[in-house]
Amino acid sequence: MNVSRQPVLFPLVVGLLYYLGAWIGVHYVALDSGIVVLWPPNSVLLAALLVQPRSRWWSLFLVVLAAEIAADISVFSLFHALLFGAINIAECVLAASLIRWFLDRSLDWSEPKDLSLFLVTVFLIASPLAALGGASIYSFLLERDTPFLTLWRLWWVGDATGLIILTPFLHMILSSGLLKQVVNSNWHVRMELVAAWIAGLLVCYLIFVFDLSSENYLALSPLAVAVVPAWVAVRFGPLAGFPLATAVALFVALATASGVGPFVSEKQDLSALFAQEFIIVFTVLLLYVAAFVDQNRRKSGELKKALVRVQHLNQALEERVRQRTQELFDANQQLQTLALTDELTGIPNRRRMRVLGEEEAKRSERSGRPFSVMLMDIDHFKRVNDQYGHAVGDECLKAFVRAIAPSLRSIDRFGRWGGEEFMIIVPDSDHVDLLMLSEKVLECVREVIIAVDDQRVGMTVSIGVAEWHHATFDKLVSEADDALYRAKSKGRDRVEINLRGLRVTE
């Protein structure tokens, strides 16, 4: 259960803690002269004001004022207790209002800027202003002999010391569920924290009670009490380090108020001043060390997460680039295929056949082995288009290709040269009976029948063949075209061959 969310229970808890802090301040951390080393109860009220909405502040004021009267009534009059309570409430309200005005969120002790705002507000604004009222009561109403400025400084530093060492710890308990986090931590973490508390309090005992920092020993410095709390804060973060730091600071204050420890001197105001300065410096340094280390740890964690996200994004980007590159490659391949393929028949077009023919001419020039070009033209194709339409003409072209393709070798190159003209490039034609191949093509074409409504349309083809004789591909095509012209002029449905530049007629 979160006590800070209970509108009735929370003020009662705050009032009880405030009374306990005031009672400790009056009876345990005050010197014989009445000088208070630190004033604990104001930290209870300030922590409560920082976690509660402003609409609930009045209930806190009432219980705090009652607790102040109950704690002070044995030492001061009711009137003086009311004045002290009003000053303490005004101090905490000023500090809480300024902090909440500058921050649009909850105070975060792991943020150095939030910590700086808290210290400036408490130490330089709220406490010194409240000290003016407290010193006035002591000087003018209680008529103490101590100079006004001395009373003002003692009240100022005493209030600031209590607020600085206790407010962070109490605020964490009220807003962060500190105890729940400790209980839910791993057993080895709990054991390590227990060992740290034992070590930290043992060092305090050796310095402030056993007096190992005195001139008789000079074995330990008072600064040694900061080692264990600082290590805990760095190791486990502010939530773990601040409670131990608070315990150490209270130990120092109680020991000094009891007249033991390295800060005790003949003048009690100097004893209080030395202890206060040490407690403030120790606590502030620890707060900043813990905040900066925790911030660095969080930033490092965020950076690692960001790097992981960047790595995942890079991988996704690389995969996207790879996919896009593959898509572009496939698209280029498709475009290249489309650019070199006849759209109607699906066989190589004139551009592709020219490339293949020029490559074959170069190969033959190197090897000396000839190749041949068969140029074919479908007979009377224009008549088919005019009589039956281009759709039937297209079907005739596709049927022509389907008829011829099975009769060719795998190394032969069959393509559309243009219109109704087709070409076959025959590699190693010295091993091929060109006349027999041509007759086979003629026979395959004669067997093609296209059904048009109730009519049957047949086809024939004229063929001109030219065999390579150290000529260019264009020259060879020209010779095949001449042979094709002769085949058409002699009646079509026949073949004319030029073997190595010589005419052979069938």
Side-chain angles (χ1 to χ4, degrees), residues 452-494:
V452 182
D453 296 331
D454 56 348
Q455 302 182 42
R456 297 169 63 86
V457 179
M459 285 191 297
T460 59
V461 66
S462 299
I463 303 175
V465 181
E467 189 176 32
W468 177 79
H469 52 90
H470 300 282
T472 64
F473 176 71
D474 288 340
K475 175 65 175 173
L476 207 60
V477 172
S478 178
E479 293 178 359
D481 190 60
D482 290 341
L484 175 61
Y485 179 76
R486 293 199 309 272
K488 283 185 172 292
S489 63
K490 293 182 179 181
R492 294 183 172 84
D493 191 22
R494 56 181 289 119

Side-chain angles (χ1 to χ4, degrees), residues 223-387:
L223 292 175
V225 300
V227 174
V228 177
W231 177 80
V232 172
V234 172
R235 176 85 167 82
F236 299 107
L239 286 178
F242 288 175
L244 182 55
T246 301
V248 170
L250 289 174
F251 195 107
V252 173
L254 291 170
T256 304
S258 301
V260 295
F263 301 128
V264 176
S265 65
E266 296 180 358
K267 294 185 177 181
Q268 292 191 351
D269 57 342
L270 290 179
S271 300
L273 179 62
F274 292 152
Q276 290 167 346
E277 290 179 347
F278 175 81
I279 290 172
I280 290 176
V281 172
F282 155 72
T283 306
V284 169
L285 288 178
L286 183 67
L287 288 170
Y288 273 110
V289 168
F292 278 112
V293 170
D294 188 71
Q295 184 186 59
N296 181 68
R297 186 180 292 116
R298 286 186 288 109
K299 296 296 183 182
S300 298
E302 293 173 1
L303 180 60
K304 290 180 180 178
K305 292 179 180 179
L307 291 176
V308 171
R309 288 196 297 269
V310 169
Q311 184 178 4
H312 291 165
L313 290 175
N314 284 337
Q315 292 176 351
L317 180 60
E318 290 176 0
E319 179 63 21
R320 184 66 181 272
V321 170
R322 187 194 65 79
Q323 292 178 356
R324 185 57 177 166
T325 302
Q326 184 63 41
E327 291 173 359
L328 290 174
F329 176 79
D330 294 341
N332 287 332
Q333 289 292 103
Q334 186 177 5
L335 288 175
Q336 185 176 4
T337 300
L338 292 174
L340 300 176
T341 303
D342 180 60
E343 183 178 1
L344 177 64
T345 60
I347 60 176
N349 59 12
R350 185 187 186 101
R351 181 183 301 174
R352 180 60 176 165
M353 293 301 293
R354 179 175 293 280
V355 172
L356 294 174
E358 290 174 352
E359 291 177 351
E360 197 63 34
K362 292 178 182 178
R363 187 193 65 80
S364 294
E365 194 68 43
R366 291 193 303 268
S367 65
R369 302 186 65 174
F371 75 99
S372 298
V373 172
M374 299 178 62
L375 201 59
M376 300 170 289
D377 187 275
I378 299 176
D379 297 329
H380 305 296
F381 183 74
K382 185 177 183 303
R383 185 188 303 169
V384 173
N385 272 338
D386 293 341
Q387 184 175 354

Side-chain angles (χ1 to χ4, degrees), residues 206-225:
L206 293 176
I207 294 175
F208 288 90
V209 179
F210 198 73
D211 209 15
L212 280 184
S213 63
S214 68
E215 60 183 7
N216 295 327
Y217 296 99
L218 292 179
L220 291 175
S221 166
L223 292 175
V225 300

Side-chain angles (χ1 to χ4, degrees), residues 406-431:
S407 62
L408 303 179
R409 300 175 301 168
S410 60
I411 62 173
D412 294 336
R413 298 292 182 260
F414 179 34
R416 186 178 180 184
W417 191 245
E420 67 272 21
E421 285 191 339
F422 292 84
M423 176 184 289
I424 301 174
I425 298 176
V426 185
D428 298 334
S429 59
D430 54 343
H431 295 160

Side-chain angles (χ1 to χ4, degrees), residues 87 126-136 148 151-153 155-156 159:
I87 292 173
S127 294
L129 290 178
L132 292 175
S136 298
F148 180 85
L151 293 172
W152 172 74
R153 190 264 302 163
W155 184 294
W156 168 23
D159 273 16

